[in-house]
Amino acid sequence: GGYFSGSLPVGAFPWPPQLPEKKRAAAAKGGDLIWGYWDEFLTRAKRCYPPELTEPQFRTALMNCIKDVGTYQKEISSYFQLFPEYVSLQHPNLNADNAFFWRNTEGKIDCGIFDWDGAGPHNVVQVMTGSLTGAEAAEQDEHDVQWLRCFRDEYYKECGIRLDLGEMRRQWHLTYCIYLVYLGMNIQTAVFVQTPKAEWDTITSLWDERAVGMWNVRCYTFMIDLALKYFHMRWVRGGKKRLH
């Protein structure tokens, strides 16, 4: 591997970084652990999702993706830092409830941000998943490249840096794979904590009060629904082979 700044090579190195066999095996166990959380949840909550999202062939593809990404997640995260032109001031949680919109004493609209937690230099494509993954899966599938192209063009207008659309797409899909690991961790630390595992054996819809009535459970289970639908569309279009 190597990094090029403009046309000048500034470094060369093996990729992925070579690890001793024992360390790579330990990393692979992490991937197995994350898939274990997913597997148990999709088994217990199977009736909450469309059947095509939990059928064996798709689950196998999902398993292979999550295990590989879990094994190499540190390397994937490091990869994003090889592109300094993709790093800028970002706010990864700039939702409407972290800002204010009101009229001042003169009747003019005033607005600003309450919560700056997490703001800092981040890879721009990585942070996009914090907002775009909330769109309906069909819209993500139809417009993902268009969103990236729109950002690339506006980014260039603002700072004069031209990002490569192909590289943006690569980083988008790598980030989305890391997102599966994030969701898996929160299955264990949030979903199963607020709604115990045994409860899911009798929950047949995400609109069950035991799911939708719990903040973290509602957030993560609906995020899982959107992510699986997006991946399933790409998987079908790709001939039902690999997800990654």
Side-chain angles (χ1 to χ4, degrees):
Y3 172 66
F4 286 78
S5 178
S7 60
L8 298 176
V10 296
F13 39 84
W15 194 267
Q18 303 303 302
L19 290 181
E21 186 176 337
K22 288 185 178 180
K23 286 190 175 181
R24 184 61 70 196
K29 288 182 180 179
D32 292 342
L33 186 67
I34 298 298
W35 170 247
Y37 301 150
W38 270 97
D39 191 40
E40 182 170 16
F41 177 72
L42 291 179
T43 299
R44 291 181 179 273
K46 182 176 181 179
R47 290 175 293 177
C48 296
Y49 295 95
E52 64 269 19
L53 301 185
T54 59
E55 60 92 8
Q57 189 179 357
F58 179 65
R59 280 179 67 159
T60 297
L62 185 68
M63 176 190 70
N64 291 333
C65 178
I66 290 172
K67 284 189 174 184
D68 280 352
V69 174
T71 300
Y72 291 95
Q73 60 179 313
K74 289 184 178 179
E75 288 83 356
I76 295 171
S77 297
S78 296
Y79 175 79
F80 298 120
Q81 308 311 314
L82 298 177
F83 302 87
E85 67 271 30
Y86 286 73
V87 177
S88 68
L89 176 62
Q90 303 283 300
H91 193 316
N93 191 28
L94 191 54
N95 300 313
D97 60 352
N98 284 337
F100 63 85
F101 308 87
W102 53 45
R103 294 188 181 277
N104 60 23
T105 55
E106 299 175 355
K108 296 180 180 180
I109 289 291
D110 190 14
C111 58
I113 300 172
F114 285 123
D115 186 350
W116 286 88
D117 185 41
H122 301 288
N123 177 286
V124 295
V125 181
Q126 280 185 292
V127 175
M128 286 182 191
T129 57
S131 57
L132 298 181
T133 52
E136 292 296 325
E139 276 62 50
Q140 292 186 53
D141 185 60
E142 180 179 357
H143 299 293
D144 52 5
V145 177
Q146 298 173 33
W147 291 335
L148 295 173
R149 181 182 293 111
C150 177
F151 180 87
R152 178 202 64 181
D153 294 345
E154 293 301 316
Y155 193 72
Y156 177 74
K157 292 177 184 178
E158 289 295 327
C159 67
I161 297 175
R162 173 69 73 178
L163 303 182
D164 179 76
L165 185 60
E167 180 57 40
M168 292 181 73
R169 293 181 67 181
R170 186 204 312 274
Q171 294 188 23
W172 166 259
H173 292 299
L174 285 172
T175 300
Y176 223 121
C177 288
I178 289 288
Y179 180 55
L180 292 178
V181 173
Y182 166 79
L183 291 175
M185 289 298 297
N186 281 285
I187 287 172
Q188 179 69 9
T189 62
V191 174
F192 282 156
V193 170
Q194 291 195 341
T195 303
K197 296 178 181 180
E199 292 288 323
W200 288 99
D201 295 338
T202 57
I203 296 176
T204 59
S205 167
L206 294 183
W207 294 100
D208 187 299
E209 188 61 26
R210 290 170 292 177
V212 76
M214 308 295 288
W215 171 256
N216 282 333
V217 177
R218 178 172 70 250
C219 290
Y220 291 118
T221 55
F222 278 90
M223 289 158 69
I224 287 170
D225 179 69
L226 295 174
L228 291 183
K229 287 176 178 176
Y230 176 69
F231 271 99
H232 189 270
M233 291 175 185
R234 293 179 51 79
W235 179 67
V236 170
R237 191 165 57 248
K240 296 186 177 182
K241 298 177 182 178
R242 293 173 61 88
L243 279 179
H244 63 306

